Amino acid sequence: MHKQYFPQRCCMFLVGIFTMTLGIALSCTADLGTSPISSVPWVLSMFTPWSIGEITIVLNLLFIIAQPILLRQIYWRELLGQLITLIAFGYCIDFSMSLLDWVAPDTLFWQ
């Protein structure tokens, strides 16, 4: 990997995460349904004091913990990268949801 492109790649990575989380927030806000991986945090956020991003972090943290058990080997660098990405992803979901607080579609056309 060329180190000269590292800042550009990090910026593109953050733009990609924000775009994905904005899509999750839009589908949740429009009440058109969510993806299977986002449906559990979305439903749990309706009945608990935790936000959808926080529940996403906890749920995916369980997946990360299960990964070395299933692989029977620990890859520390990959686990650290997944953990950093997971935290950024979860809090970016909360940020995207807060950006769309004002959206309240009332007809199918606006959804």
Side-chain angles (χ1 to χ4, degrees), residues 10-60:
C10 285
C11 287
M12 184 57 82
F13 175 71
L14 292 174
V15 167
I17 284 183
F18 179 72
T19 303
M20 286 179 8
T21 59
L22 191 61
I24 292 170
L26 279 171
S27 67
C28 291
T29 305
D31 288 333
L32 290 175
T34 60
S35 66
I37 197 71
S38 297
S39 62
V40 173
W42 174 244
V43 171
L44 288 176
S45 71
M46 293 179 189
F47 300 106
T48 63
W50 293 354
S51 67
I52 185 172
E54 293 168 340
I55 296 173
T56 299
I57 290 173
V58 170
L59 185 66
N60 286 322

Side-chain angles (χ1 to χ4, degrees), residues 35-98:
S35 66
I37 197 71
S38 297
S39 62
V40 173
W42 174 244
V43 171
L44 288 176
S45 71
M46 293 179 189
F47 300 106
T48 63
W50 293 354
S51 67
I52 185 172
E54 293 168 340
I55 296 173
T56 299
I57 290 173
V58 170
L59 185 66
N60 286 322
L61 191 60
L62 294 175
F63 295 152
I64 290 174
I65 291 170
Q67 185 176 345
I69 296 168
L70 293 173
L71 293 176
R72 296 185 181 148
Q73 193 169 4
I74 296 176
Y75 300 100
W76 291 107
R77 217 171 91 187
E78 285 80 6
L79 289 175
L80 181 63
Q82 290 174 1
L83 184 63
I84 292 169
T85 304
L86 169 63
I87 292 170
F89 187 72
Y91 285 116
C92 207
I93 288 175
D94 287 340
F95 177 70
S96 296
M97 291 294 285
S98 69

